[in-house]
Amino acid sequence: MPRVNELGDLEITDPRAMRTLAHPVRLTIFERLQRHGPAPVAELAPEAGTTPSAAGRHLRQLAQHGLVVKSERMWKAVGTGIHFEPAGDAASQAAYRALANQLFLRAHELPSRWMTEDEPRLDGEWRRVSGLSNARMTMTVEEAAELDEQMEKLLEPYVTRDPSDAPDDARRVRLLRYVMPEAS
């Protein structure tokens, strides 16, 4: 079963769990539960574009791999984010790529949707600190790992903070981070 790390991320290493989560309907349900909290199947089904009975089957599959839990009539995601890594075998690599591909497909539309829906409504200060950073650099795999570790440490206080403890003027902010080494 996956474990939840100190940042609240569900750490997934089992290729079967990755393949289960890579299904678009299950990923939609899982992300909905992570973002908005527990919900009954009847509420999740229309948001996932499916029937309550099909949503129930998808939730049971997620639960088999420890990705969600059911308490009475409510379903809850385990963890507030996900971190997944493949093992060295081909099945694990394939499952990793399937899940990564689904996540990339979902994330690629977020910036343009943000530009049309949210950015125009921001005040000047939020507009000034928002936007895109696209940097290209040369580094070793060790340096890339160190950079990732440093970024995790910088983000930790914000990722782990309970929303009720945030300052009154705080907003939810999404930070997309891609690390894409170029093939030689």
Side-chain angles (χ1 to χ4, degrees):
M1 285 293 170
R3 76 173 195 90
V4 176
N5 67 21
E6 64 278 356
L7 298 177
D9 291 340
L10 185 63
E11 293 188 341
I12 305 171
T13 56
D14 179 358
R16 293 169 302 187
M18 286 183 221
R19 279 193 304 275
T20 296
L21 193 54
H23 187 283
V25 172
R26 289 191 286 270
L27 187 55
T28 298
I29 290 169
F30 182 76
E31 286 179 334
R32 161 49 182 88
L33 290 171
Q34 280 193 321
R35 188 169 187 172
H36 299 290
V41 69
E43 188 178 308
L44 297 167
E47 291 184 37
T50 191
T51 64
S53 62
R57 285 191 301 275
H58 287 298
L59 283 159
R60 287 188 294 279
Q61 287 179 310
L62 291 166
Q64 280 182 327
H65 296 285
L67 305 171
V68 299
V69 293
K70 185 177 183 183
S71 177
E72 296 185 21
R73 299 174 59 110
M74 301 289 274
W75 289 91
K76 178 184 178 193
V78 175
T80 55
I82 61 169
H83 177 82
F84 58 106
E85 291 185 21
D89 61 285
S92 182
Q93 294 285 333
Y96 171 86
R97 278 192 298 283
L99 180 52
N101 186 54
Q102 282 300 313
L103 291 169
F104 273 118
L105 288 172
R106 289 174 179 281
H108 91 276
E109 70 181 31
L110 291 173
S112 60
R113 195 167 68 222
W114 174 82
M115 280 299 294
T116 59
E117 296 174 10
D118 292 316
E119 194 274 344
R121 298 187 339 242
L122 294 176
D123 63 33
E125 287 300 304
W126 276 108
R127 187 172 284 138
R128 186 180 62 73
V129 300
S130 65
L132 170 70
S133 172
N134 184 351
R136 190 170 182 209
M137 58 204 81
T138 302
M139 58 179 34
T140 67
V141 69
E142 293 82 10
E143 290 168 331
E146 175 64 22
L147 178 61
D148 185 60
E149 185 178 318
Q150 290 175 14
M151 291 182 75
E152 289 291 327
K153 285 180 184 175
L154 284 171
L155 295 173
E156 184 175 2
Y158 308 103
V159 171
T160 59
R161 177 168 58 193
D162 188 295
S164 64
D165 295 334
D168 291 339
D169 61 342
R171 291 186 184 194
R172 292 179 58 104
V173 173
R174 182 183 295 258
L175 176 72
L176 300 178
R177 184 175 65 185
Y178 295 90
V179 178
M180 301 182 294
E182 297 176 358
S184 298

